[in-house]
Amino acid sequence: MDNIRRKQSGRSDSKMSSDVNMCSKPLQKYNDSIPITDALNFTLTSLTERVEDLSRSKSGVVSMDTEAGTAIYVRLLPESGDTQLPTWKTYLYQLQNEAPKPKVIACKREQPNRPTYYSVEYHGLISREEAEDLLTLGGDGSYLVRKSDRGPQAFTLAIRFDHQTKNYKLYYDGLHYVGEKRFETVEQLVADGLIHFYIESRAADYIASLSEESNYAQSPYLAYSVKKKRLQKSRNHAANHRIDGAQPLSNEQLQSIPTSVDNDVDNVDADVDVTEFEKPHVFKTHNFTGLHWCDFCANFMWGLIAQGSKCQDCGFEAHKKCSEKVPNDCMPDIKYLKSVFGQDLTTVIKAHKSPIPMVVERCVKEIESRGMTCEGLYRVAGSHDEVEEIRMAFDKDCENTVITSARYEDVNTITSVLKLYFRLLPLPLITFDAYRKIMEAMNREEQKDKLLLMREGLAILPPAHYQTLKYLINHLIRVTEKKAKNMMSSENLAIVFAPTLMRSPDTDPMLNLMSVGAEQTATGILLSCSKELFLK
């Protein structure tokens, strides 16, 4: 490679240019960083060849960073005009490396009553003063375990840090702990504690300002989210709605399908962008393996276990305090979803990047292709075993699940799958807030007053719920158009779907029973007055 510049000890090489830089500065984490070598003694020729390979395989300008004694890293810089990806901050990472390492003060005397879960660090019943003397000689990072006189199974962990001895009650329940964190060995517990002692004593003010001073608009997560959104908008929407394994339809089947099915997209607002749907993150304390940086403040997440929180739906990684500042803009990744049935509707829609859940769309299209004239459609139940088989298949691989007539001859099995999907939603399709408005509307005398309040109820539905309800109602209207053959009028469909679409937030069974009639009436109005109700 012709263009290389090397900065070491103030010297430069005429064979090198600004495309690639090797700098003795702290190691930074980049999304596209690739370690080249861990050896300090490398040949310039081999390094140049490796960089050339990277340049050919990935677009963008190449630059290199190094930290003396560790590794060479190549960063693929974005082309001009592209979104600048964030620089990860390494101050806390450096502090963790500087923290004292655990040094066990081994007991030289035989301890006949030593618990089996302790080793040479156990000193038996010694006084605090004796422990202090031993740790003073050991220096910072030294530790031991002593028997406490407070009880038969009471033990104390003593750790030396900053020329002081810290004493903690030590517990064991299969894992060692002094607080919430649990460790397989005492040494791991001490190592994690020393890291926290060191960082919190050297960078207390810095840590306190992490979430307050961070600009979310410039956060790593948002930078990558923008790229995801741009990529999604550039893709052909139709590619997300193919039905793999579908059998070609006969001319007779094609003629039996209502013309409106050919334009399913008309059932969904044209300007719907699922990436803009509001969805809160689902954060849970996580044990990260290796080195990880916060997606909110771009700082290192220190410690050995439980270093921070991770969103269960999108993988967002953050310090616990930073996670509390993150807005509701989760972009779920399908790889984090354990199932499709029983998942939050917005989560599924954003993960599949489709305004309608794939299960709903696949089932509706299959039903409309071959079952619109079947008597008792949606009223007659399908085979329980086949329904469960399809549910598990969708959970495993939603896009490639085969539900054609060649595999499942009875269309009632498909209708049962669709109803099951809505019944298993954590929040009903018509959410509890909207339910209250709609039930209030049922108490009004005038039809126009009913419609006004129902529109208000529908307006407060989350976008994912609104679009899916609108899509389903349009499908059910097409079912009623074939009522002469399938015997499913809007009244019959209302009886079937009312408990599927909505449920009362009240836990009193008597109140729920009294609401059944109003729920069926509301569902019937959704079917008969859809054009007046779905205005957006």
Side-chain angles (χ1 to χ4, degrees), residues 15 51 68 178 219 338 416 464 482 488 519 534:
K15 295 182 181 179
V51 172
V178 296
S219 68
K338 297 179 181 179
S416 295
K482 300 287 185 179
M488 294 303 291
E519 292 169 359
F534 294 95

Side-chain angles (χ1 to χ4, degrees), residues 2 162 171 192 306 511:
D2 296 333
D162 263 359
Y171 302 93
D192 186 76
L511 291 177

Side-chain angles (χ1 to χ4, degrees), residues 12 38 99 102 124 156 208 220 264 316 333 340 348 376 405 507 524 534:
S12 62
D38 290 328
T156 299
D264 271 329
F316 190 115
D333 192 320
V340 175
V348 171
S405 58
T507 57
F534 294 95

Side-chain angles (χ1 to χ4, degrees), residues 167-184:
N167 294 280
Y168 299 91
K169 290 182 180 179
L170 183 61
Y171 302 93
Y172 181 81
D173 61 358
L175 295 172
H176 301 276
Y177 63 99
V178 296
E180 294 182 357
K181 293 185 178 182
R182 282 162 164 73
F183 300 83
E184 292 184 358

